[in-house]
Amino acid sequence: MPSSDSRPLQGVLLVIAAVALFACFDTGVKIASALAPVGVVVWARYLFQVGVTAVTVLPRRGRALLRTERPGLQLLRGLCLLSLSVLAFFRATNKTEPACAGR
């Protein structure tokens, strides 16, 4: 028997929302990269993300949100995320087809 706090409908709705937001993000990247350099688009994306996170999470968790026991791992995680985003933006803006596309 499922526990009383099991919410499968909420889980399904969150997955649907995540997929929809990913599609919107991909479209936004393509549009924004046509108007501005990739570096500016990545910077704006992270600025927006920090703002939304600050408004939604900081009031509940306060400065405890900024404390970490392993700052080196947090820095590594941030660099990996930044690298992934930059590579994804460059890929989304690449207009050439791979060599095997015509086969």
Side-chain angles (χ1 to χ4, degrees), residues 37-50:
V38 172
V40 173
V41 176
V42 171
W43 177 83
R45 179 209 185 273
Y46 280 106
L47 183 66
F48 177 77
Q49 179 183 347
V50 166

Side-chain angles (χ1 to χ4, degrees), residues 1-8 10:
M1 185 161 131
S3 66
S4 61
D5 62 353
S6 175
R7 296 174 274 197
Q10 183 180 12

Side-chain angles (χ1 to χ4, degrees), residues 53-65:
T53 301
V55 168
T56 58
V57 179
L58 275 177
R60 287 182 275 158
R61 305 248 337 248
R63 294 185 69 168
L65 180 68

Side-chain angles (χ1 to χ4, degrees), residues 15-81:
V15 169
I16 291 170
V19 170
L21 287 173
F22 182 77
C24 291
F25 173 71
D26 189 43
T27 303
V29 166
K30 289 179 181 178
I31 293 169
S33 63
L35 303 173
V38 172
V40 173
V41 176
V42 171
W43 177 83
R45 179 209 185 273
Y46 280 106
L47 183 66
F48 177 77
Q49 179 183 347
V50 166
V52 170
T53 301
V55 168
T56 58
V57 179
L58 275 177
R60 287 182 275 158
R61 305 248 337 248
R63 294 185 69 168
L65 180 68
L66 303 175
R67 289 188 206 101
T68 181
E69 292 180 14
R70 297 181 172 186
L73 286 178
Q74 291 293 333
L75 181 63
L76 179 63
R77 178 181 178 267
L79 289 173
C80 287
L81 182 61

